[in-house]
Amino acid sequence: MGESNSNRQASNRARLSAATRTAVFLMIGGLLAVPYAAVVLWIMQLWRLAAANPLAVPSGLLIGAGLLAVPSTLRVMRTLERTAANELLGTALEEPAGTTRLADVARGALWFLVHLLSGALAVAVLGFALPTLAAIVFAVFGGGGTAGLAPFTGQMLPGVGTVEATWLLTAAGLGALALLIGVASQLQVWAVLLLGPSEQAKLAIAERHARELARRNGLARELHDSIGHALTVTTLQAAAARRLLTTDPDKAAASMAAVEDAGRAALEELDYVLGILRAPADGPAELPDRLRNLVSRHRSPGPPAELRLTGDPAAVPGNVAAELYRMVQEGLSNAAKHAPESACTVALEVNGTAAAGSASLTVANRIPTAARARAGGQPLARTAGGRGLAGLAERAVLLGGTFSARESDGMWQLSAELSWEGGKR
């Protein structure tokens, strides 16, 4: 019960704060409207000169329109209005990028006019409608009746009876107050419509966000496949060294040497990933050498591994070669983690040339007996807990290829088919 009251009080404070900010926004509009009100009064005075000078009123209207149009169409004014809406009305409008279109200028000018008129309405309600209503309530409920309002109503509505004038002024005051409340409740919606991005700008923003998301996903895949692989090898070898430290110091030393090599390799991989972030590159062109080094690090002193290269791997374009390397790295990492005593085979077949061709990759290792026993003789399925296989599938899809991870004849097998044309996929 106490928690419910606390939440209700917090909600009331939030609503009060929002109402206060909206009131401040309206007061800013009222201040902006003051000089324009003076211009309106000046133009009304020009009506007296209309008979002597027919150009007086049109000239005044033209000057007034210019004074309104110039600030309302300035980019800096739209920026100020957008900032005010974000801070006081609770919107989250972004500053549009690129060139400004005429439609955006027109929408910004319309919003400036809405701000002025709503502010003027707020000033009118606070300066006239509310005092008038307060005077009527005080006169009626104070015991004096409407007779005391006769001088006021006679001045405001000459020729109208006191009672009728009182009702008319009450209705006008309540109507103005209701109109102000309605306008204030819609200011946030209008701000989004008039100051928010156009459909073309929304499309550009969506495309920019998509590019940023794709880059973040790419970075996540690179970090997972590179640093994650190194951490897996380091953890496994360090655990082996701890077990063998007293019984077989030589093997323990070999495991620690493997940890050292994995650390150096991790630094190289991190430098490669940071290079991608600074300036996107096509990828490693020296694919055969990188694969041999990778398999060699996996083989010593871990489980046996074999690399089979068919065709000309050096002809694979850099962007495709980078993804193939990451796939082999993830496959070896999974083999070391889930089948540390099983042989692992990496087979890469390349057909074609750098101009156009395809690559077929297979990373296979025998499934441990314990894992098969846990599965009850049923085919093993892809695990849903990790991100590695999902990342490999994303890499293949981005290159227009295919990827699969499944059991085949007692072997766990990762397979990928990638192709390219014109030197790039």
Side-chain angles (χ1 to χ4, degrees), residues 4 23 45 69 79 90 194 207-208 231 247 260 322 353 362 386 396 413:
S4 177
Q45 294 297 322
T79 299
L194 298 177
E207 291 177 348
R208 183 172 70 248
L231 290 176
T247 60
E260 183 180 358
T353 63
T362 301
Q413 182 172 293

Side-chain angles (χ1 to χ4, degrees), residues 23-51:
V24 172
F25 183 83
L26 290 172
M27 289 300 98
I28 293 175
L31 292 175
L32 292 175
V34 169
Y36 291 100
V39 172
V40 170
L41 293 176
W42 171 66
I43 294 175
M44 293 175 63
Q45 294 297 322
L46 293 179
W47 285 103
R48 300 179 180 180
L49 304 176

Side-chain angles (χ1 to χ4, degrees), residues 171-222:
L174 292 176
L177 181 60
L179 179 61
L180 178 62
I181 294 175
V183 169
S185 67
Q186 296 300 311
L187 283 175
Q188 187 182 64
V189 177
W190 295 341
V192 174
L193 291 176
L194 298 177
L195 291 178
S198 61
E199 293 301 324
Q200 183 178 3
K202 289 179 181 178
L203 180 59
I205 292 174
E207 291 177 348
R208 183 172 70 248
H209 288 172
R211 289 194 298 269
E212 292 175 356
L213 180 60
R215 188 167 179 81
R216 289 170 58 186
N217 287 338
L219 174 60
R221 289 193 299 270
E222 292 294 336

